[in-house]
């Protein structure tokens, strides 16, 4: 079988690429080993986790109403009903993708693909589906094979009590005591879900910080709130041994804590993800991988083999769905002969905890590492009428500003709904807005978007809602 564009992997990178290629009039075939389109994001990542986090957030908001004199009874949790509702969301979106693919006449093959050479994919049958084709010849192939959770063999368990993020999202039960190994965004998001559903959640993190790499001033308000929700947060701590004893897991921890041996009903291991690049037959082509296993690409997403392109998680950090989709579009446009390149000024990242953390563009941590001078202006949400009205004054919005041109080059937000607010910052940074442009754009009142204008006003020393004495007054 022949095709002009072969796309391997039907996640947010792969289907975005395949759909755009079809829209541009190309003959496209998408090879996916799963039954459904959507990849990790839709089936085992972004969407199911956000569906469960929506439930967690609502439970907490309702509890918070007690401060306003409105008290509800403790919620009755039915995990089976939650599972069904979450699966319905996923199924609806998967079905939508299937229809969109069919309408665009994207050829679909269910198989495990690997490169035989620079023009041919070998297709192996998966599941009970017999392979309709065993070879697919292409002019261009876009690899969008994504990533999978890092496994720690010492923490494997035959009983299923040690979960990865996929198992945790399946919500088999709400354990009494859950240990989350890894204080990254996936561990904290899923830990928050289980804590809201009633688990006593403890977190162990190897480094000295939750969310390593994220600006500390953004993490602090989250860490304070999590300290009240989680049973324990152990930093600079690692799991050194694990033994299953009947229904319980005995865990030995190494760190600055009194009780080195602790018992849990389940563990969630979320210590990172690795690219799916090993079984792609790259050795049969000129395409290369870097030392972490990511497929090496140029700014147009092309590998060292001119006919092979790579996008999304398999092509490097940050491993985020919107980055995958954007790269997919760049690769297709480049194949179509357009001058597209993947050179964003701002890739947003959101941690969907409560409060949320979001950032885009340059971070203070990166500026420090690069020895780059930036001016930082912060707006405390205690000065926001909207934050006061909803009782969420712990938030903070900050801009990073280039001292020479006074352009905004980075933004960080911690607070309720930060993930919805960061979009404005992405646009401002990407369009090269000056800090004055942010001030001169009228923001609706009373909303949390005003905190973006407020932080810009703080930079110029003219913030209506924040008084800063003049330095030389
Ligand atoms: P994937 O979505 O991983 O899709 C790759 C596809 O390729 C899969 O369907 C796989 O079956 C298929 N495949 C692999 N190898 C082959 C082969 N050889 N042949 C055929 N098919 C193959 N990102 C966000 O932006 N926001 C979030 O809120 C967010 N939350 C997350 C929560 C969790 C719990 C997890 C685990 C991830 C989350 N992510 C989030 C990350 C996001 O899911 C990924 O960045 C995104 O799915 C990457 O898209 P992709 O297209 O590169 O690959």
């Amino acid at each position: 079988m022949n095709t002009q564009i072969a796309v391997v992997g039907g996640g947010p990178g792969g289907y975005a690429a395949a759909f755009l290629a079809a829209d541009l009039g190309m003959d496209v075939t998408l090879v996916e080993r799963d039954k459904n389109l959507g990849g990790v994001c839709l089936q085992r990542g972004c969407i199911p986790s956000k569906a469960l986090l929506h439930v967690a957030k609502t439970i907490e908001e309702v509890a918070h109403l007690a401060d306003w004199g409105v008290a509800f009874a403790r919620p009755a949790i039915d995990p089976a009903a939650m599972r069904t509702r979450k699966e319905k969301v996923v199924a609806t979106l998967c079905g939508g993708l299937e229809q969109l693919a069919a309408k665009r006449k994207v050829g679909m093959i269910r198989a495990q693909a690997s490169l035989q050479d620079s023009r041919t994919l070998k297709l192996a049958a998966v599941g009970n589906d017999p392979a309709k084709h065993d070879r697919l010849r292409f002019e261009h192939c876009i690899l969008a094979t994504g990533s999978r959770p890092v496994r720690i063999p010492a923490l494997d368990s035959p009983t299923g009590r040690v979960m990865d993020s996929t198992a945790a999202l399946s919500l088999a039960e709400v354990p009494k005591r859950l240990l989350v190994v890894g204080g990254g965004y996936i561990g904290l998001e899923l830990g928050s879900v289980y804590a809201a559903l009633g688990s006593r959640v403890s977190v162990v993190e190897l480094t000295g910080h939750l969310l390593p790499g994220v600006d500390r001033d953004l993490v602090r308000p989250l860490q304070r709130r999590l300290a009240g929700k989680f049973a324990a947060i152990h930093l600079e701590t690692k799991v050194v041994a694990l033994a299953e004893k009947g229904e319980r897991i005995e865990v030995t921890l190494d760190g600055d804590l009194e009780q080195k041996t602790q018992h849990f009903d389940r563990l969630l291991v979320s210590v990172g993800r690795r690219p799916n690049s090993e079984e792609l037959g790259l050795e049969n082509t000129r395409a290369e991988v870097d030392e972490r296993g990511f497929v090496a690409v140029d700014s147009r997403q092309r590998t060292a083999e001119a006919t092979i392109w790579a996008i999304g998680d398999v092509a490097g950090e940050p491993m985020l769905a919107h980055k995958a989709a954007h790269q997919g579009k760049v690769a297709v446009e480049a194949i179509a002969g357009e001058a597209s390149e993947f050179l964003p000024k701002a890739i947003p990242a959101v941690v969907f905890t409560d409060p949320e953390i979001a950032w885009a563009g340059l971070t203070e941590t990166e500026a420090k590492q690069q020895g780059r001078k930036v001016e930082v202006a912060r707006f405390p949400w205690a000065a926001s009428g909207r934050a006061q009205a909803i009782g969420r004054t712990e938030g903070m919005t900050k801009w990073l500003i280039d001292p020479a041109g006074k352009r905004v080059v980075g933004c960080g937000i911690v607070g309720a709904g930060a993930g919805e607010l960061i979009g404005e910052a992405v646009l401002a940074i990407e369009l090269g807005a000056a800090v004055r442009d942010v001030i001169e754009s009228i923001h609706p009142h009373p909303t949390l978007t005003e905190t973006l204008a407020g932080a810009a006003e703080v930079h110029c020393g003219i913030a209506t809602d924040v008084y800063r004495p003049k330095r030389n007054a």
Side-chain angles (χ1 to χ4, degrees):
M1 189 185 168
N2 293 306
T3 190
Q4 192 181 355
I5 312 285
V7 178
V8 182
Y15 73 73
F19 290 4
L20 178 62
D23 290 346
L24 296 181
M26 301 181 199
D27 165 49
V28 192
T29 306
L30 195 153
V31 188
E32 167 57 61
R33 63 188 176 194
D34 268 4
K35 267 207 233 58
N36 296 311
L37 284 178
V40 168
C41 178
L42 176 43
Q43 298 178 73
R44 302 178 287 280
C46 328
I47 300 299
S49 62
K50 268 78 246 181
L52 297 180
L53 278 159
H54 164 69
V55 177
K57 182 169 166 239
T58 309
I59 292 173
E60 275 160 25
E61 281 182 351
V62 164
H64 178 69
L65 283 182
D67 294 351
W68 297 84
V70 182
F72 289 86
R74 268 172 72 91
I77 311 269
D78 178 351
M82 268 178 81
R83 268 198 306 274
T84 307
R85 183 71 180 80
K86 174 200 64 157
E87 279 154 19
K88 194 173 157 210
V89 171
V90 172
T92 303
L93 289 167
C94 285
L97 287 177
E98 209 171 299
Q99 281 180 16
L100 289 170
K103 288 217 166 89
R104 289 178 157 100
K105 303 199 172 13
V106 171
M108 299 287 299
I109 297 180
R110 185 166 182 219
Q112 170 91 24
S114 60
L115 289 155
Q116 182 178 305
D117 57 45
S118 61
R119 293 264 176 199
T120 318
L121 280 169
K122 217 162 44 180
L123 306 177
V126 283
N128 297 325
D129 290 8
K132 288 199 195 102
H133 308 277
D134 63 356
R135 297 283 184 279
L136 179 62
R137 298 268 302 158
F138 56 79
E139 287 173 27
H140 292 276
C141 175
I142 300 176
L143 301 173
T145 51
S147 63
R148 62 185 185 281
V150 168
R151 262 188 56 221
I152 304 182
L155 300 187
D156 274 352
S157 139
T159 64
R161 287 181 200 287
V162 178
M163 310 180 285
D164 61 13
S165 58
T166 306
L169 284 168
S170 74
L171 202 71
E173 61 169 25
V174 179
K176 279 208 182 81
R177 288 154 308 173
L178 171 70
L179 178 67
V180 176
V181 182
Y185 84 93
I186 293 177
L188 297 187
E189 286 185 3
L190 292 176
S192 298
V193 168
Y194 278 94
L197 297 181
S199 296
R200 269 177 65 80
V201 176
S202 300
V203 177
V204 289
E205 163 58 43
L206 191 61
T207 71
H209 304 288
L210 292 181
L211 298 172
V214 180
D215 286 354
R216 291 298 96 206
D217 56 347
L218 299 179
V219 178
R220 235 171 273 126
L222 171 66
Q223 190 156 346
R224 267 199 294 272
R225 202 165 167 99
L226 289 181
K229 276 191 217 172
F230 290 173
I233 299 173
H234 303 296
L235 301 175
E236 292 182 315
T237 302
K238 66 177 176 189
V239 176
V240 286
L242 178 153
E244 300 215 24
K245 304 215 158 157
E247 300 279 279
R248 298 186 314 170
I249 309 173
E250 187 176 276
V251 173
T252 311
L253 301 171
D254 180 17
D256 185 17
L257 72 173
E258 268 173 29
Q259 226 179 319
K260 303 258 192 254
T261 302
Q262 300 194 10
H263 295 95
F264 297 91
D265 302 295
R266 287 204 178 226
L267 253 68
L268 161 60
V269 179
S270 53
V271 291
R273 298 184 62 81
R274 59 187 307 161
N276 291 327
S277 60
E278 296 93 339
E279 289 165 13
L280 284 178
L282 291 169
E283 62 286 0
N284 303 323
T285 72
R286 275 186 288 240
E288 287 168 2
V289 293
D290 69 14
E291 65 287 351
R292 292 181 58 200
F294 291 116
V295 179
V297 289
D298 63 16
S299 62
R300 313 187 78 198
Q301 304 301 133
R302 198 176 214 153
T303 68
E305 181 71 67
T307 53
I308 297 172
W309 309 69
I311 61 166
D313 283 11
V314 77
E317 300 274 7
M319 293 200 236
L320 293 169
H322 41 276
K323 186 217 70 168
H326 200 91
Q327 288 183 333
K329 292 176 185 168
V330 166
V332 169
E333 286 167 0
I335 291 170
E338 293 177 32
S340 293
E341 285 183 276
F342 185 74
L343 297 170
K345 289 200 195 110
I347 304 176
V350 182
V351 182
F352 290 89
T353 42
D354 182 29
E356 293 180 355
I357 297 180
W359 64 95
L362 189 68
T363 67
E364 277 192 83
T365 310
E366 287 164 352
K368 226 171 268 162
Q369 282 163 357
Q370 296 166 14
R372 182 169 167 187
K373 274 219 168 73
V374 284
E375 292 167 356
V376 183
R378 293 183 176 79
F379 185 89
W381 283 23
S384 152
R386 185 56 185 256
Q388 290 285 354
I390 62 170
R392 297 307 301 266
T393 51
E394 79 277 22
M396 186 271 291
T397 298
K398 68 174 173 183
W399 284 110
L400 273 68
I401 297 137
D402 173 35
K406 300 292 178 197
R407 293 191 185 283
V408 292
V409 291
C411 180
I413 308 176
V414 53
E420 302 290 340
L421 300 177
I422 200 70
E424 174 179 333
V426 174
L427 196 67
I429 297 165
E430 210 53 67
L431 297 184
V435 73
R436 289 274 351 168
D437 295 327
V438 180
I439 297 173
E440 279 159 24
S441 309
I442 301 175
H443 289 73
H445 178 73
T447 66
L448 294 168
T449 65
E450 289 172 294
T451 65
L452 287 155
E457 287 180 347
V458 165
H459 179 262
C460 296
I462 53 164
T464 311
D465 299 306
V466 179
Y467 176 67
R468 294 258 184 273
K470 296 256 178 305
R471 267 192 211 129
N472 301 323

